[in-house]
Amino acid sequence: MFVPACFMRVNRGAKEAVRKLPLTYVFVHTTERCVAEIRKALPQLKLNAPISVVTGQRKHVTLHDGEMRMFRKIADVFGGQLPCYPADAFDVKACDRVRIVTGPFAGVEGAMVPSQGKDGGLVVLPMRDLFCVSVGEQSPHNYKVLEFGKGSRHPYHEFDNYLPRVTAALRQRLTTGGIDDGIYADVVKFVNRYSELSARTLNIESMYCSLMLMSYAALGEDCVTWIDECKRLLPRLTADLQRALHQAIMYAATGDETMARQLHGEIDKWGEIGAGDRKKRTVAALLTEFESLYAIREARQIRV
């Protein structure tokens, strides 16, 4: 299987440029021994192992069947005219790993190269350290995030921005029994995008699971699975502030009075909360607001 020997290079403020790759690649489904026999039998093809851009050494690269299936799917969609980039064009380890869920590239997994100021970005399939194949810009509704990039601050930014929106959604659910269309769309987008996330760190897993619990509660869906996940994580959270935030979100989603009592005990230890203590203020605000909301809801039920 041959890859067209060119890739697209985009320069800011300039026209799209095309540059030739130094090699044409041939993929063979065989063994290392048979590769040597093919090279010997067909010397006119000048088949050589590629030089790694990482190590600088010649070495045959092995791809697993799943990678090859995705690569062939992309090649079929583009009719063989693949938009390719050099292997070192992107820091793929720092990119989120995503799966495209709709459209002609459905099922393809790759690295999300974010577009500055946009929600979404370019998805590329890294072919080890040979080159990257682009499937173009993807909208946030068209992929699931499977894993956050190594060292990326994206999850903290995303989760911090989402907490006020899902809080507003749950507030509406508790007070009116429904959610406005705009807020409902935000919650559904979050649930769909992160439903298959695998978290690298305990703190990210804590925020992810507690926000998924809050989202399901806001949507009026069955929360049992996420309650169990949050309870499973709770004993492992040794950082006091992260544990308190985890409990505050759990309380907001469930109205568990035991959680509320534990949080009151923790907040009493803090004393006066400073203006810069953002996480402490978030915990205290969640507890205060949802204690009031659950008290109002209980009073209404008693009157009925």
Side-chain angles (χ1 to χ4, degrees):
M1 185 174 183
F2 294 82
V3 181
C6 66
F7 67 86
M8 311 302 290
R9 183 181 58 197
V10 180
N11 297 319
R12 290 185 183 275
K15 292 183 178 180
E16 205 170 60
V18 178
R19 197 175 80 194
K20 295 291 183 183
L21 282 175
L23 299 173
T24 294
Y25 294 94
V26 182
F27 295 90
V28 184
H29 190 229
T30 185
T31 64
E32 189 81 22
R33 180 179 176 181
C34 287
V35 168
E37 292 176 359
I38 293 169
R39 288 176 59 189
K40 185 177 179 181
L42 299 170
Q44 66 273 26
L45 293 185
K46 299 179 182 179
L47 296 175
N48 291 304
I51 297 175
S52 167
V53 297
V54 177
T55 64
Q57 299 177 342
R58 287 194 180 277
K59 184 179 180 181
H60 288 122
V61 176
T62 302
L63 305 173
H64 60 68
D65 290 343
E67 287 175 304
M68 204 66 217
R69 282 194 296 271
M70 288 190 290
F71 180 55
R72 296 181 78 160
K73 185 170 189 174
I74 296 169
D76 288 343
V77 173
F78 280 108
Q81 299 300 309
L82 296 177
C84 300
Y85 293 86
D88 56 355
F90 312 105
D91 183 5
V92 294
K93 289 184 179 179
C95 296
D96 295 347
R97 186 167 65 89
V98 303
R99 180 191 300 120
I100 299 173
V101 294
T102 60
F105 300 113
V108 170
E109 294 182 10
M112 168 62 71
V113 182
S115 298
Q116 189 172 6
K118 294 183 180 179
D119 196 4
L122 183 72
V123 174
V124 297
L125 174 65
M127 301 300 287
R128 301 303 169 95
D129 58 349
L130 299 176
F131 53 85
C132 296
V133 183
S134 166
V135 298
E137 296 275 336
Q138 299 295 320
S139 74
H141 301 283
N142 199 31
Y143 62 86
K144 290 181 180 292
V145 177
L146 305 180
E147 192 172 55
F148 291 121
K150 188 175 182 180
S152 171
R153 298 298 301 175
H154 167 69
Y156 300 101
H157 175 76
E158 181 74 11
F159 291 167
D160 284 350
N161 285 346
Y162 178 63
L163 180 55
R165 299 202 297 272
V166 72
T167 299
L170 185 55
R171 181 190 306 122
Q172 285 190 357
R173 172 67 63 182
L174 292 175
T175 54
T176 68
I179 312 177
D180 292 345
D181 289 345
I183 298 178
Y184 178 86
D186 282 344
V187 177
V188 169
K189 183 174 75 171
F190 181 89
V191 168
N192 289 340
R193 184 186 293 185
Y194 297 111
S195 62
E196 298 181 33
L197 180 69
S198 175
R200 286 179 181 268
T201 68
L202 185 59
N203 279 356
I204 291 177
E205 189 176 10
S206 164
M207 284 300 295
Y208 164 60
C209 289
S210 58
L211 287 174
M212 287 296 278
L213 169 60
M214 202 175 190
S215 300
Y216 272 69
L219 294 173
E221 302 286 346
D222 183 6
C223 301
V224 172
T225 298
W226 292 108
I227 290 173
D228 290 343
E229 280 297 298
C230 288
K231 287 181 177 178
R232 177 185 64 81
L233 286 172
L234 193 55
R236 298 171 55 198
L237 298 173
T238 55
D240 292 342
L241 266 179
Q242 186 61 43
R243 182 184 176 87
L245 182 58
H246 188 87
Q247 287 180 304
I249 297 174
M250 283 186 70
Y251 170 69
T254 63
D256 185 334
E257 292 183 2
T258 301
M259 289 283 177
R261 287 194 294 271
Q262 291 173 349
L263 280 169
H264 276 295
E266 186 65 29
I267 291 172
D268 288 344
K269 296 177 186 176
W270 296 342
E272 185 177 349
I273 299 175
D277 294 328
R278 181 178 56 84
K279 191 173 283 190
K280 287 182 179 179
R281 286 190 287 110
T282 299
V283 170
L286 282 171
L287 177 60
T288 300
E289 177 177 5
F290 283 92
E291 275 190 319
S292 175
L293 290 175
Y294 281 117
I296 292 170
R297 192 173 73 159
E298 185 177 353
R300 285 174 179 169
Q301 290 171 341
I302 292 171
R303 284 201 297 273
V304 171

